Amino acid sequence: ASNAMWGGRFAAGPDAIMQAINASIGFDQRLYAQDIRGSRAHAAMLAATGILTHNDAEAIGEGLLTVLSEIERGDFPFSVALEDIHMNVEARLKEIIGEPAGRLHTARSRNDQVATDFRLWVRDQCDAAVSGLRALIGALLAQAESGAGWVMPGFTHLQTAQPVTWGHHMMAYVEMLGRDMGRFADARARMNECPLGAAALAGTSFPIDRHMTAEALGFDRPMANSLDAVSDRDFALEFLAASAICATHLSRLAEELVIWSSAQFRFVAMSDKWSTGSSIMPQKRNPDAAELIRAKIGRILGAAVALFTVMKGLPLAYSKDMQEDKEQVFDAADTLMLALAAMEGMIGDLTVNRDRLEAAASSGFSTATDLADWLVRAAGLPFRDAHHVTGTLVARAEAKGCDLPELSLEEMQAVHPAITSEVFGVLGVHNSVASRQSYGGTAPDQVRAQIARWKQRIG
Ligand code: ARG
């Protein structure tokens, strides 16, 4: 039999494989709530503008609520023959209310319908990402607050560079994730225009009120161009791009947790709740959640690349290619929300080994820059000369098997006569971090000021 929704010109139904490649109901059933909400707004508008009778519109509105509760109860027979969520809902509505159901699709196409449903769905995911990020930032702020003054090695090239504080390191991620929050909020604001009423592509000859449906669905305004409204998926691309950047940040933090929890570092310990064991090595305590978060960027960036590739070069307006948008975004969104929640749990539960942090910060000549800076300040050396003198001192210490503060004054003066005992005051790691008072620097007061600013912003 031919399709009940569009079969008028067809004598035969589709091949089974045609149906299999064409149907999206297997995944777009996730849009049921958005689809029903959009249809209810559309029906109410059709009645308000006199295009439908109030009786018909009411029957449609009520019937759609019945469909909604059937789906929510898990009592809805999704049909592949009916292709997608839009036609499944409408066909069921027809079974429930009869003839008026056929009037719902007046002045509408599945093209503007799906664009509207999907925008509503992605908009919710932007909000979910913002709240997931807010929770994670809260957990990082708590860590930063406890450890605002704990000294740890800062790294470049994963080699000990200069001492920083635990709080400072945590706050670096707060800044990154804060920008992610901004990206999702910006994307939401930009996508918050309503495609409904663009119809297939050209608009409609019916006297619809697009402002009314836009407002009913919580959009700021209707989209201004009907071709654009049904053609673009930039809102989904923007969500995926923001997700990929956010997942990149998460993967870096995850990687640090993996490194820091290793036996060689022992900077942190993950609680039992966030660790797994090995089936052969009884001693193992593996950071699987961190490793998986580190890996999730692969799927999320993959989804972004997939949808960019689908969209590039598509002529206006709607093409069926665009049905490929949903699985990518669904998977990326699920993955991101799970990764955010897991990271929040791990950070909240992390035990930090303050003594190990400080011991690691105190080795590896981490205060060599402080020594060079002191030679500039106290002995008036040009920085390049001070750098060279300090390098020589590091080599001496290394040969002796000690760190800089363990060199004697005589050994230092043998390298440069201007060095006095005052230098020992700058070689300690606490002095080092306390001296980094420049705005945004690692000095504990600077870090505390940033924590206070963020606590206010996060609320
Ligand atoms: N299932 C389709 C999608 O996800 C809905 C729009 C179909 N429109 C059409 N003219 N075939 O994109």
Side-chain angles (χ1 to χ4, degrees), residues 104-143:
L104 168 61
H105 214 51
T106 312
R108 188 178 74 170
S109 154
R110 271 189 295 159
N111 298 348
D112 59 334
Q113 190 178 355
V114 72
T116 304
D117 295 1
F118 199 35
R119 251 174 215 259
L120 288 170
W121 196 89
V122 176
R123 190 176 76 181
D124 282 349
Q125 296 303 307
C126 288
D127 293 341
V130 167
S131 43
L133 281 161
R134 178 171 284 124
L136 173 54
I137 287 174
L140 288 163
L141 285 174
Q143 281 290 353

Side-chain angles (χ1 to χ4, degrees), residues 30-48:
R30 279 187 81 163
L31 298 176
Y32 72 89
Q34 288 75 15
D35 193 68
I36 288 170
R37 187 176 171 199
S39 288
R40 282 172 50 84
H42 183 65
M45 181 277 290
L46 291 177

Side-chain angles (χ1 to χ4, degrees), residues 24 28 83-84 86 109-111 114 233 318 320 322-323 325-326:
S24 53
D28 70 11
E83 289 183 26
D84 57 24
H86 323 294
S109 154
R110 271 189 295 159
N111 298 348
V114 72
R233 293 294 182 267
Y318 179 84
K320 198 62 175 262
M322 286 153 68
Q323 180 166 285
D325 57 0
K326 288 169 212 64

